Amino acid sequence: MTFDRAGYDKYAYEPFAVTVDLAVLTVRDGALQVLLVERGQEPYAGHWALPGGFVEPHESAETAARRELAEETGLADVTGLHLEQLRTYSEPGRDPRMRVVSVAFTALLPHAPEPQAGTDAAQASWLPYDSAGPLAFDHDRILADAHERVGAKLEYTCLATAFCPPEFTLGELQRVYETVWGTTLDRPNFRRKVLATPGFVDPVPGGARLTGGRGKPAAVYRAGPATALHPPLLRPSREGRPA
Amino acid sequence: MTFDRAGYDKYAYEPFAVTVDLAVLTVRDGALQVLLVERGQEPYAGHWALPGGFVEPHESAETAARRELAEETGLADVTGLHLEQLRTYSEPGRDPRMRVVSVAFTALLPHAPEPQAGTDAAQASWLPYDSAGPLAFDHDRILADAHERVGAKLEYTCLATAFCPPEFTLGELQRVYETVWGTTLDRPNFRRKVLATPGFVDPVPGGARLTGGRGKPAAVYRAGPATALHPPLLRPSREGRPA
DNA sequence: CTGTTTATAGTCGTGATGACCATTAACAGG
DNA sequence: CCTGTTAATGGTCATCACGACTATAAACAG
């Protein structure tokens, strides 16, 4: 225990607060939406912010993120859903009050229940990604990073099914891609690619969903066991993309 | 991140130490090597560990990582080299003494000068990735994560040039891919792909390097302005890869 | 019954890719 | 000097993935 005792003391009186921030995305009403809370206190009182909170002494950042997600959304089942560490934001001054290092996570939800405001927030709500105005702190950047990450992961992983309910049609899956990427895709080609990737989606034996409305009934699929896409499903018409 | 004053007080007396850990990789002697330091104190005295250290109050994790890298390697020029945030490790108990949250970074070096041991370490040295035995703390996992990340980024970015000196041959570049991936690549096909990607490498006008030994002299290239690879240069013979 | 909407099933040309083969230019060693 | 080895470079060829496109089927709206 001789190791770095000086370091311990040095930083003991200038501690870092460690928090998690959550960029929770869903596809609702054909639009990419993000879970936001309205801040009740200064700074940024009245501004929207990403949900999040302190990491408690006994838990990892992942555990804290999952706990906060359950608290903020009122979801009972947060064990199975997709939660991924995005990156850590540690710029001095990102919180005007004290030194806060925040580990950001991205979560994807399929059906998107209406959230109830937690204890710390004036209200919580889903807001469209595009009209999620200036957020508190550096949350605009975190949200943009999350969007970019999710968009990139759709290309080479089976992540898109995390936006879908347990059973879905290829049209719904395609709308996920189109919504996150902000593009339109050719339906037959999308279909060909998805079905050509073994383990991406599995057909539900007896199922053909009446979409409730127009069009021919679509076959129903479930998420398959695969996690990676080979070959990838690339976004159209881009020459260079960020590294 | 909707904390209030109560949160401040609650965690002020149980602070988190925030550190950075560095997975510094290079290609030397045809092998992937990693920069390690031998710990001088308990715990894990005598074990190898990734270099790293505390984030100071005034600096971001990125700044701290760059500073630690300069200190550990004795490199004067750490401004231009590739440094990327890997992820943050926050499991309780990952350091037996206290609660330490560590932001891990990956750095890639081309020529690999011999490091000099810093103040905290008994010695510092390059070790082959494969024989980097059990490391201190959870550094084995961090190192494996870094390897996987770098391998994946070679596929769709121009990152490989970060392993090469300012001027290099296509053979050297190919050896980077083969070393990191642990595979062999077809030379003409590799050549075709690299040269077909505009901005990946630029030919040096007058240059043809005598490799000092066998074989026909190779043309010399510099890293080009591109950062992304379109289409990607995929690892051979893999059905599914981790997400 | 007609138009609209969506799902599904193809076709076709282009281009990327993997598996090869051939040639060139250096050196090593007899 | 000649020959074998090594590495760089240039090329072929069949296969396959992909984008663009057309066609058909099955539902509903009016």
Side-chain angles (χ1 to χ4, degrees), chain A residues 165-189:
Chain A
E167 299 195 341
F168 53 88
T169 68
L170 293 187
E172 294 176 276
L173 188 66
Q174 181 177 349
R175 238 161 282 131
V176 167
Y177 277 90
E178 293 178 333
T179 302
V180 174
W181 286 349
T183 60
T184 62
L185 299 173
D186 180 83
R187 208 192 312 261
N189 289 342

Side-chain angles (χ1 to χ4, degrees), chain B residues 86-117:
Chain B
L86 181 61
R87 57 160 290 180
T88 295
Y89 299 83
S90 60
E91 310 301 318
R94 58 178 295 277
D95 188 310
R97 297 159 299 178
M98 71 176 296
R99 193 63 202 280
V100 177
V101 169
S102 187
V103 186
F105 288 81
T106 298
L108 306 181
L109 291 187
H111 52 296
E114 270 303 328
Q116 42 249 37

Side-chain angles (χ1 to χ4, degrees), chain A residues 204-220:
Chain A
V204 173
R209 174 180 299 174
L210 307 180
T211 56
R214 344 274 271 228
K216 179 177 176 177
V220 180

Side-chain angles (χ1 to χ4, degrees), chain B residues 17 24 37 112 129 214:
Chain B
V24 188
V37 296
Y129 177 88
R214 343 275 270 227

Side-chain angles (χ1 to χ4, degrees), chain A residues 2 8 20 25 32 45 58 73 76 80 82 89 94 103 120 131 144 147 151 161 169 177 185 218 221 224 232:
Chain A
T2 58
Y8 281 43
V20 291
L25 300 177
L32 185 66
H58 63 282
T73 63
H82 182 84
Y89 298 83
R94 58 179 294 277
V103 186
D120 305 326
S131 63
H147 186 200
T161 55
T169 68
Y177 277 90
L185 299 173
Y221 296 86

Side-chain angles (χ1 to χ4, degrees), chain A residues 3 8 11 15 39 54 56-57 59 61-62 85 87-88 90 95 97 99 120 153 228 230 239 241 243, chain B residues 1-3 8 11 15 41 56-57 59 61-62 85 87-88 90 97-99 153 228 230 239 241 243:
Chain A
F3 178 81
Y8 281 43
Y11 296 99
R39 291 180 53 79
F54 283 95
E56 295 180 1
E59 64 187 2
E62 284 78 359
Q85 191 180 127
R87 55 161 292 178
T88 295
S90 62
D95 187 308
R97 296 160 298 179
R99 192 62 201 282
D120 305 326
K153 293 208 87 170
H230 274 290
E239 284 312 291
R241 64 178 157 171
Chain B
M1 199 165 49
T2 53
F3 40 64
Y8 280 46
Y11 295 100
Q41 290 114 347
E56 295 179 3
E59 63 186 3
E62 284 79 359
Q85 191 181 125
R87 57 160 290 180
T88 295
S90 60
R97 297 159 299 178
M98 71 176 296
R99 193 63 202 280
K153 293 209 86 169
H230 276 289
E239 285 311 291
R241 66 178 153 170

Side-chain angles (χ1 to χ4, degrees), chain A residues 17 24 41 62 78-80 85 93 96 100 115 117 132 136 159 173 186 191 207-208 220 227 238 242:
Chain A
V24 187
Q41 292 119 344
E62 284 78 359
V78 292
T79 55
Q85 191 180 127
V100 176
L159 192 59
L173 188 66
D186 180 83
R191 184 189 178 69
V220 180
T227 60
R238 291 170 314 120

Side-chain angles (χ1 to χ4, degrees), chain B residues 104-183:
Chain B
F105 288 81
T106 298
L108 306 181
L109 291 187
H111 52 296
E114 270 303 328
Q116 42 249 37
T119 53
D120 303 328
Q123 58 171 321
S125 174
W126 293 104
L127 268 79
Y129 177 88
D130 291 324
S131 63
L135 302 180
F137 305 106
D138 53 357
H139 290 188
D140 282 312
R141 186 186 169 196
I142 297 177
L143 182 55
D145 289 347
H147 186 201
E148 166 58 29
R149 171 78 67 91
V150 170
K153 293 209 86 169
L154 288 190
E155 292 191 323
Y156 56 93
T157 72
C158 298
L159 192 59
T161 54
F163 280 106
C164 294
E167 298 195 342
F168 54 88
T169 69
L170 293 186
E172 294 177 275
L173 187 65
Q174 180 176 349
R175 239 162 281 131
V176 167
Y177 276 90
E178 293 178 334
T179 302
V180 174
W181 287 349
T183 61

